Amino acid sequence: MATIRDQARSWAETNWDPEMTVAQWWECLFEARYCLPSLPVEAFGRGYSRQEENESRLGLRDAGTLGPAVGISMMMAAPTIAAHGTPEQIERYIPPMLTGQESWCQLFSEPGAGSDLAGLQTSAARDGDVWTISGQKVWTSLAAGTEYGMLIARSDRDKPKHSGITWFAFPMRQAGVDVRPLVEMTGQAFFNEVFIDDAVVGHDAVIGSVDDGWRVANTTLMHERAGLAGAGVMLPFAKAGRDSPDLDKPAGSFAYYRFKTRGLGSGNAGPNKAKRLPAAVWYHQISAELGLDTAERLDSRMRLYISEEVNRMLGLRARHSAVPAVGSLGKLAMSEIARMRREVGNQSIGAAGMLAGADADAGPGKGDVQRRTLHSPAPAIYGGTDQVQRNIIGERFLGLPKEPAPPPDTPFKDLPAN
């Protein structure tokens, strides 16, 4: 009997045409339900487990094709709407995500509500079938140019903190929405702050129930942490979204490009997403070429390699069976691995680690170590800080006592401000 991997490869070999545009290829994947097969059948998936989805993507990779659209839309928005949306909402929002026609961002964190997300202040006021939204969000990844945002807002200040929150499919391209980039020390502006001033969203865009958005948001966060923890199959990818210049390009122009680049990946997020070799192996090759090997450096690279493999296997195990707190555990592991890659990389190239810009790109490792060094603090912050993950593990899974706080039924309006 043909395996899921065999079936996907056979289908791809029959249907793949590198002369198709990216948009046409993604539509083809959508019709065959290979965009996000782990979604339920009624949500345009195949009802696969995560492991089965990985197997199908291995089949696509075997056939040398471009992968489906990637990003926040696929990792978080589509699974959340599939779990909590009505049939009409699933029909409206999920197909454009899967075909790459619409991209989404995540409007959760606020200046005073990051680690304490439930303390958010952004307000949602209803008038008939329309909600008016006002507030500020921050650390919003790739917000510029997106069509929709996963927005959580305070819809009832008289209810306790974790109640009175509603989850919206929020249209980003409207008056009253101001996206401002946050330039990082890497020189990139991956994150943004978003100012919302009397913007509107229809009542039919409420995902789940009014005032029950915290439960819906936890589904979103669960998928985010599992995605950031890695262990997925990486495929060549193009950029999705209504304004993406990639949609009209030949799909074949992307199929191998990402694997020809010298840069290394760091899981599903970071400066270079396409994995070619484990970082430890790559750094070993560089260090050997430079003649910088010592027993201590070899030991450090071996520890890094073991850590990468253990985290990868943890992710694979999670796809076969339920592993308590696997998202938080994987997220913590990726933070530590990012720091290890930084240290081991700089050990491996020696004084060349002080090079920057074009000098770094022309030096040992083609600037990969320097980019990792600048990016290394980020994984401990985005997707829920390391401290938040430890609290989740301790309180929800180990049963440790929670930190002192007002009674859980205290109305939000009576709580001290963050």
PDB file of all heavy atoms in Angstrom, residues 67 112 168 202 234 254 307 358:
ATOM      1  N   GLY A  67       6.720  24.690  -2.138  1.00  0.00           N
ATOM      2  CA  GLY A  67       5.810  24.346  -1.058  1.00  0.00           C
ATOM      3  C   GLY A  67       4.594  25.248  -1.024  1.00  0.00           C
ATOM      4  O   GLY A  67       4.501  26.228  -1.776  1.00  0.00           O
ATOM      5  N   GLY A 112       1.481  47.531  27.505  1.00  0.00           N
ATOM      6  CA  GLY A 112       1.312  47.173  28.904  1.00  0.00           C
ATOM      7  C   GLY A 112       0.775  45.776  29.109  1.00  0.00           C
ATOM      8  O   GLY A 112       0.365  45.416  30.212  1.00  0.00           O
ATOM      9  N   PHE A 168     -11.285  38.739  17.069  1.00  0.00           N
ATOM     10  CA  PHE A 168     -11.848  39.223  15.809  1.00  0.00           C
ATOM     11  C   PHE A 168     -10.943  38.888  14.630  1.00  0.00           C
ATOM     12  O   PHE A 168      -9.715  38.910  14.742  1.00  0.00           O
ATOM     13  CB  PHE A 168     -12.005  40.749  15.836  1.00  0.00           C
ATOM     14  CG  PHE A 168     -12.956  41.286  16.862  1.00  0.00           C
ATOM     15  CD1 PHE A 168     -12.506  41.654  18.128  1.00  0.00           C
ATOM     16  CD2 PHE A 168     -14.304  41.439  16.566  1.00  0.00           C
ATOM     17  CE1 PHE A 168     -13.376  42.176  19.077  1.00  0.00           C
ATOM     18  CE2 PHE A 168     -15.184  41.953  17.507  1.00  0.00           C
ATOM     19  CZ  PHE A 168     -14.725  42.319  18.768  1.00  0.00           C
ATOM     20  N   GLY A 202     -16.949  44.013  11.479  1.00  0.00           N
ATOM     21  CA  GLY A 202     -18.310  43.512  11.561  1.00  0.00           C
ATOM     22  C   GLY A 202     -18.489  42.470  12.648  1.00  0.00           C
ATOM     23  O   GLY A 202     -17.545  41.758  13.019  1.00  0.00           O
ATOM     24  N   MET A 234      10.772  21.568   5.968  1.00  0.00           N
ATOM     25  CA  MET A 234      10.979  22.817   5.259  1.00  0.00           C
ATOM     26  C   MET A 234      10.951  22.576   3.762  1.00  0.00           C
ATOM     27  O   MET A 234      11.566  21.640   3.254  1.00  0.00           O
ATOM     28  CB  MET A 234      12.310  23.447   5.660  1.00  0.00           C
ATOM     29  CG  MET A 234      12.350  23.959   7.087  1.00  0.00           C
ATOM     30  SD  MET A 234      11.123  25.226   7.427  1.00  0.00           S
ATOM     31  CE  MET A 234      11.654  26.539   6.335  1.00  0.00           C
ATOM     32  N   PHE A 254      11.182  29.255  -7.806  1.00  0.00           N
ATOM     33  CA  PHE A 254      11.368  29.164  -6.358  1.00  0.00           C
ATOM     34  C   PHE A 254      11.712  27.754  -5.901  1.00  0.00           C
ATOM     35  O   PHE A 254      12.146  27.560  -4.781  1.00  0.00           O
ATOM     36  CB  PHE A 254      10.097  29.594  -5.621  1.00  0.00           C
ATOM     37  CG  PHE A 254       9.764  31.041  -5.765  1.00  0.00           C
ATOM     38  CD1 PHE A 254       8.993  31.481  -6.821  1.00  0.00           C
ATOM     39  CD2 PHE A 254      10.238  31.977  -4.864  1.00  0.00           C
ATOM     40  CE1 PHE A 254       8.681  32.815  -6.973  1.00  0.00           C
ATOM     41  CE2 PHE A 254       9.939  33.317  -5.003  1.00  0.00           C
ATOM     42  CZ  PHE A 254       9.158  33.741  -6.062  1.00  0.00           C
ATOM     43  N   SER A 307      21.639  19.007  21.179  1.00  0.00           N
ATOM     44  CA  SER A 307      20.473  19.807  21.554  1.00  0.00           C
ATOM     45  C   SER A 307      19.514  19.976  20.379  1.00  0.00           C
ATOM     46  O   SER A 307      18.290  19.877  20.535  1.00  0.00           O
ATOM     47  CB  SER A 307      20.917  21.186  22.058  1.00  0.00           C
ATOM     48  OG  SER A 307      21.699  21.075  23.227  1.00  0.00           O
ATOM     49  N   ALA A 358      29.228  44.184   4.640  1.00  0.00           N
ATOM     50  CA  ALA A 358      29.790  43.496   3.478  1.00  0.00           C
ATOM     51  C   ALA A 358      31.019  42.684   3.851  1.00  0.00           C
ATOM     52  O   ALA A 358      31.286  41.631   3.257  1.00  0.00           O
ATOM     53  CB  ALA A 358      30.133  44.520   2.389  1.00  0.00           C
TER      54      ALA A 358
END
